[in-house]
Short mmCIF file of all heavy atoms in Angstrom, two decimals:
data_model
loop_
_atom_site.label_atom_id
_atom_site.label_comp_id
_atom_site.label_asym_id
_atom_site.label_seq_id
_atom_site.Cartn_x
_atom_site.Cartn_y
_atom_site.Cartn_z
N LEU A 1 121.07 120.24 36.67
CA LEU A 1 122.25 119.95 37.57
C LEU A 1 122.69 118.51 37.35
O LEU A 1 123.93 118.15 37.35
CB LEU A 1 121.82 120.11 39.01
CG LEU A 1 122.85 119.89 40.11
CD1 LEU A 1 123.99 120.85 39.98
CD2 LEU A 1 122.19 119.92 41.51
N PHE A 2 121.70 117.61 37.05
CA PHE A 2 122.08 116.17 36.91
C PHE A 2 122.21 115.84 35.42
O PHE A 2 121.29 115.80 34.62
CB PHE A 2 120.89 115.28 37.48
CG PHE A 2 120.95 115.40 39.00
CD1 PHE A 2 120.14 116.34 39.62
CD2 PHE A 2 121.65 114.49 39.72
CE1 PHE A 2 120.20 116.50 41.00
CE2 PHE A 2 121.63 114.55 41.14
CZ PHE A 2 120.89 115.55 41.73
N ARG A 3 123.42 115.74 34.97
CA ARG A 3 123.82 115.60 33.59
C ARG A 3 124.05 114.16 33.19
O ARG A 3 124.51 113.34 34.14
CB ARG A 3 125.01 116.53 33.25
CG ARG A 3 124.66 117.99 33.46
CD ARG A 3 125.83 118.88 33.02
NE ARG A 3 125.46 120.29 33.14
CZ ARG A 3 126.24 121.28 32.78
NH1 ARG A 3 127.48 121.08 32.39
NH2 ARG A 3 125.85 122.52 32.92
N PRO A 4 123.96 113.82 31.88
CA PRO A 4 124.11 112.47 31.44
C PRO A 4 125.50 111.86 31.84
O PRO A 4 125.62 110.64 31.99
CB PRO A 4 123.96 112.50 30.04
CG PRO A 4 123.03 113.65 29.71
CD PRO A 4 123.43 114.68 30.85
N GLY A 5 126.52 112.65 32.06
CA GLY A 5 127.83 112.15 32.41
C GLY A 5 127.80 111.35 33.66
O GLY A 5 128.70 110.49 33.87
N LEU A 6 126.88 111.61 34.52
CA LEU A 6 126.70 110.81 35.74
C LEU A 6 126.50 109.33 35.48
O LEU A 6 126.88 108.51 36.28
CB LEU A 6 125.56 111.33 36.63
CG LEU A 6 125.77 112.69 37.46
CD1 LEU A 6 124.55 113.09 38.13
CD2 LEU A 6 126.92 112.45 38.42
N LEU A 7 125.81 109.11 34.40
CA LEU A 7 125.56 107.66 34.07
C LEU A 7 126.79 106.85 33.75
O LEU A 7 126.75 105.65 33.73
CB LEU A 7 124.58 107.55 32.88
CG LEU A 7 123.19 108.36 33.10
CD1 LEU A 7 122.32 108.23 31.81
CD2 LEU A 7 122.48 107.69 34.30
N ALA A 8 127.90 107.54 33.45
CA ALA A 8 129.14 106.90 33.18
C ALA A 8 130.00 106.66 34.42
O ALA A 8 131.11 106.02 34.35
CB ALA A 8 129.97 107.63 32.15
N GLU A 9 129.50 107.24 35.52
CA GLU A 9 130.22 107.00 36.79
C GLU A 9 129.94 105.68 37.38
O GLU A 9 128.80 105.34 37.76
CB GLU A 9 129.83 108.13 37.78
CG GLU A 9 130.28 109.52 37.37
CD GLU A 9 131.82 109.66 37.44
OE1 GLU A 9 132.43 109.01 38.30
OE2 GLU A 9 132.29 110.65 36.77
N PRO A 10 130.94 104.79 37.46
CA PRO A 10 130.64 103.42 37.87
C PRO A 10 130.26 103.25 39.31
O PRO A 10 129.52 102.17 39.63
CB PRO A 10 132.02 102.66 37.65
CG PRO A 10 133.00 103.78 37.75
CD PRO A 10 132.35 105.02 37.17
N GLU A 11 130.47 104.15 40.22
CA GLU A 11 130.12 103.95 41.63
C GLU A 11 128.87 104.98 41.91
O GLU A 11 128.50 105.00 43.12
CB GLU A 11 131.24 104.48 42.50
CG GLU A 11 132.50 103.72 42.16
CD GLU A 11 132.48 102.21 42.22
OE1 GLU A 11 131.58 101.73 43.01
OE2 GLU A 11 133.30 101.57 41.62
N THR A 12 128.22 105.57 40.92
CA THR A 12 127.06 106.33 41.21
C THR A 12 125.76 105.63 40.65
O THR A 12 125.71 105.19 39.56
CB THR A 12 127.24 107.66 40.46
OG1 THR A 12 128.31 108.44 41.03
CG2 THR A 12 125.92 108.57 40.67
N PHE A 13 124.79 105.53 41.52
CA PHE A 13 123.54 104.83 41.21
C PHE A 13 122.34 105.77 41.50
O PHE A 13 122.11 106.06 42.64
CB PHE A 13 123.38 103.58 41.94
CG PHE A 13 124.55 102.61 41.72
CD1 PHE A 13 125.79 102.80 42.39
CD2 PHE A 13 124.41 101.49 40.89
CE1 PHE A 13 126.85 101.92 42.22
CE2 PHE A 13 125.42 100.62 40.76
CZ PHE A 13 126.72 100.88 41.32
N VAL A 14 121.70 106.24 40.45
CA VAL A 14 120.52 107.02 40.65
C VAL A 14 119.32 106.17 40.71
O VAL A 14 118.95 105.45 39.68
CB VAL A 14 120.44 108.05 39.40
CG1 VAL A 14 119.20 108.99 39.62
CG2 VAL A 14 121.72 108.89 39.27
N ILE A 15 118.70 106.17 41.82
CA ILE A 15 117.44 105.26 42.13
C ILE A 15 116.23 106.02 41.87
O ILE A 15 116.07 107.18 42.39
CB ILE A 15 117.58 104.75 43.57
CG1 ILE A 15 118.86 104.02 43.76
CG2 ILE A 15 116.39 103.92 43.91
CD1 ILE A 15 119.23 103.76 45.24
N LEU A 16 115.27 105.39 41.12
CA LEU A 16 114.02 105.99 40.95
C LEU A 16 112.93 105.14 41.52
O LEU A 16 113.03 103.94 41.57
CB LEU A 16 113.75 106.36 39.46
CG LEU A 16 113.68 105.24 38.47
CD1 LEU A 16 112.37 104.54 38.37
CD2 LEU A 16 114.06 105.73 37.06
N GLY A 17 111.80 105.74 41.75
CA GLY A 17 110.58 105.02 42.24
C GLY A 17 109.40 105.48 41.45
O GLY A 17 109.17 106.63 41.16
N ARG A 18 108.59 104.43 40.99
CA ARG A 18 107.33 104.63 40.35
C ARG A 18 106.26 103.88 41.09
O ARG A 18 106.51 102.99 41.77
CB ARG A 18 107.42 104.23 38.85
CG ARG A 18 108.36 105.11 38.00
CD ARG A 18 108.19 104.66 36.55
NE ARG A 18 108.94 105.47 35.65
CZ ARG A 18 110.06 105.18 35.03
NH1 ARG A 18 110.56 103.90 35.13
NH2 ARG A 18 110.64 106.02 34.22
N SER A 19 105.06 104.36 40.84
CA SER A 19 103.93 103.61 41.45
C SER A 19 103.95 102.12 41.06
O SER A 19 104.27 101.79 39.95
CB SER A 19 102.53 104.17 41.07
OG SER A 19 102.55 105.58 41.45
N ALA A 20 103.56 101.29 41.99
CA ALA A 20 103.61 99.90 41.79
C ALA A 20 102.85 99.49 40.58
O ALA A 20 101.69 99.91 40.38
CB ALA A 20 103.14 99.17 42.99
N GLY A 21 103.42 98.67 39.68
CA GLY A 21 102.71 98.28 38.45
C GLY A 21 102.77 99.27 37.39
O GLY A 21 102.27 98.99 36.24
N ASP A 22 103.38 100.37 37.59
CA ASP A 22 103.38 101.44 36.62
C ASP A 22 104.91 101.75 36.24
O ASP A 22 105.36 102.85 36.41
CB ASP A 22 102.72 102.70 37.18
CG ASP A 22 102.56 103.87 36.07
OD1 ASP A 22 102.85 103.48 34.87
OD2 ASP A 22 102.34 104.94 36.43
N THR A 23 105.58 100.74 35.73
CA THR A 23 106.99 100.87 35.39
C THR A 23 107.43 101.82 34.36
O THR A 23 108.53 102.22 34.31
CB THR A 23 107.57 99.45 34.98
OG1 THR A 23 106.90 99.04 33.80
CG2 THR A 23 107.41 98.45 36.10
N GLU A 24 106.45 102.34 33.65
CA GLU A 24 106.70 103.41 32.58
C GLU A 24 106.14 104.76 32.97
O GLU A 24 106.19 105.73 32.17
CB GLU A 24 106.24 103.01 31.23
CG GLU A 24 106.80 101.63 30.70
CD GLU A 24 108.33 101.77 30.53
OE1 GLU A 24 108.75 102.84 30.12
OE2 GLU A 24 109.00 100.68 30.79
N GLY A 25 105.57 104.82 34.22
CA GLY A 25 104.85 106.04 34.62
C GLY A 25 105.86 107.07 35.14
O GLY A 25 107.09 107.07 35.02
N SER A 26 105.33 108.13 35.76
CA SER A 26 106.07 109.25 36.29
C SER A 26 106.95 108.83 37.54
O SER A 26 106.61 107.96 38.33
CB SER A 26 105.12 110.35 36.68
OG SER A 26 104.37 110.86 35.71
N VAL A 27 108.05 109.42 37.61
CA VAL A 27 108.98 109.27 38.73
C VAL A 27 108.33 110.00 39.93
O VAL A 27 108.11 111.22 39.85
CB VAL A 27 110.42 109.84 38.42
CG1 VAL A 27 111.30 109.71 39.73
CG2 VAL A 27 111.03 109.04 37.25
N VAL A 28 108.10 109.30 41.01
CA VAL A 28 107.46 109.93 42.16
C VAL A 28 108.36 109.95 43.38
O VAL A 28 108.04 110.54 44.42
CB VAL A 28 106.18 109.24 42.45
CG1 VAL A 28 105.16 109.44 41.40
CG2 VAL A 28 106.34 107.76 42.81
N ALA A 29 109.54 109.32 43.34
CA ALA A 29 110.60 109.33 44.43
C ALA A 29 111.88 108.94 43.87
O ALA A 29 111.99 108.41 42.77
CB ALA A 29 110.07 108.35 45.54
N GLY A 30 112.89 109.30 44.65
CA GLY A 30 114.20 108.85 44.25
C GLY A 30 115.33 109.27 45.16
O GLY A 30 114.97 109.87 46.22
N ALA A 31 116.50 108.87 44.82
CA ALA A 31 117.72 109.11 45.63
C ALA A 31 118.94 108.88 44.84
O ALA A 31 118.79 108.24 43.71
CB ALA A 31 117.67 108.26 46.92
#
């Protein structure tokens, strides 16, 4: 459902959360 074209939308911001200190780890939360 979430396609790369969303990244070109200037008013859309996909927020991700990872465990503290694990900036390359799995996505565990978002909005």
Side-chain angles (χ1 to χ4, degrees):
L1 183 63
F2 290 87
R3 297 185 175 180
L6 284 174
L7 301 178
E9 293 288 338
E11 309 303 335
T12 297
F13 300 78
V14 181
I15 298 165
L16 65 82
R18 293 187 172 108
S19 298
D22 187 14
T23 57
E24 299 301 323
S26 299
V27 177
V28 297

